[in-house]
Amino acid sequence: HVNLEEWGGGSVQAGGSLTLSCEASGDSHDTRCMAWFRQRASDVGREKVGSMYRNEERDTDIDSSVKGRFIFSRDNDILTLQMNSLQIEDTAMYYCAAEWSCYYQAEYYRNWGEGTQVTVFS
């Protein structure tokens, strides 16, 4: 069993920054990969923002819309997402996920946090 606790969401003016963090506890086998997904109000499903494997410095599957603005980092089982130059289009519920492998699609992840809201206003 894996528990994922997220924090750091909130409201920020466009151009500003927010940092999201997610801490995993439980079966370390299933937290080898940690990822952030997001779901906008108009979305049907969850979009992958990016992910990281434990003990690797390279992030994976960074969405093109956030490249150069969002920075992933991981310290053991805490995944941090530094979001800079936020845009109104980044407004979404952000979810932390964990799994053995960094799959691209949300449906392959068995472990999810409850989500944290990010709202960017003009």
Side-chain angles (χ1 to χ4, degrees):
H1 176 69
V2 172
N3 184 63
L4 299 173
E5 182 180 355
E6 305 136 325
W7 67 93
S11 296
V12 66
Q13 193 168 26
S17 298
L18 280 174
T19 299
L20 304 183
S21 296
C22 173
E23 183 171 14
S25 58
D27 189 344
S28 62
H29 178 277
D30 291 337
T31 60
R32 176 173 168 258
C33 172
M34 293 180 71
W36 284 104
F37 284 79
R38 65 184 180 185
Q39 186 168 12
R40 301 180 183 90
S42 58
D43 290 342
V44 173
R46 296 177 183 179
E47 167 192 67
K48 189 173 187 181
V49 181
S51 55
M52 289 190 78
Y53 284 104
R54 184 186 297 116
N55 299 325
E56 290 189 13
E57 294 184 0
R58 183 178 63 90
D59 51 46
T60 64
D61 293 334
I62 295 290
D63 187 78
S64 59
S65 68
V66 307
K67 269 183 181 176
R69 300 189 297 120
F70 289 14
I71 301 170
F72 280 76
S73 61
R74 182 169 176 176
D75 181 7
N76 197 15
D77 280 344
I78 298 177
L79 181 69
T80 300
L81 179 61
Q82 173 69 41
M83 303 186 293
N84 301 313
S85 302
L86 281 160
Q87 302 169 358
I88 292 174
E89 300 74 46
D90 295 318
T91 295
M93 183 71 81
Y94 284 72
Y95 295 91
C96 180
E99 192 48 81
W100 165 254
S101 187
C102 285
Y103 301 107
Y104 183 75
Q105 291 150 313
E107 52 261 44
Y108 293 128
Y109 288 77
R110 294 171 293 168
N111 305 294
W112 291 91
E114 293 185 355
T116 184
Q117 178 68 36
V118 171
T119 302
V120 185
F121 57 89
S122 59

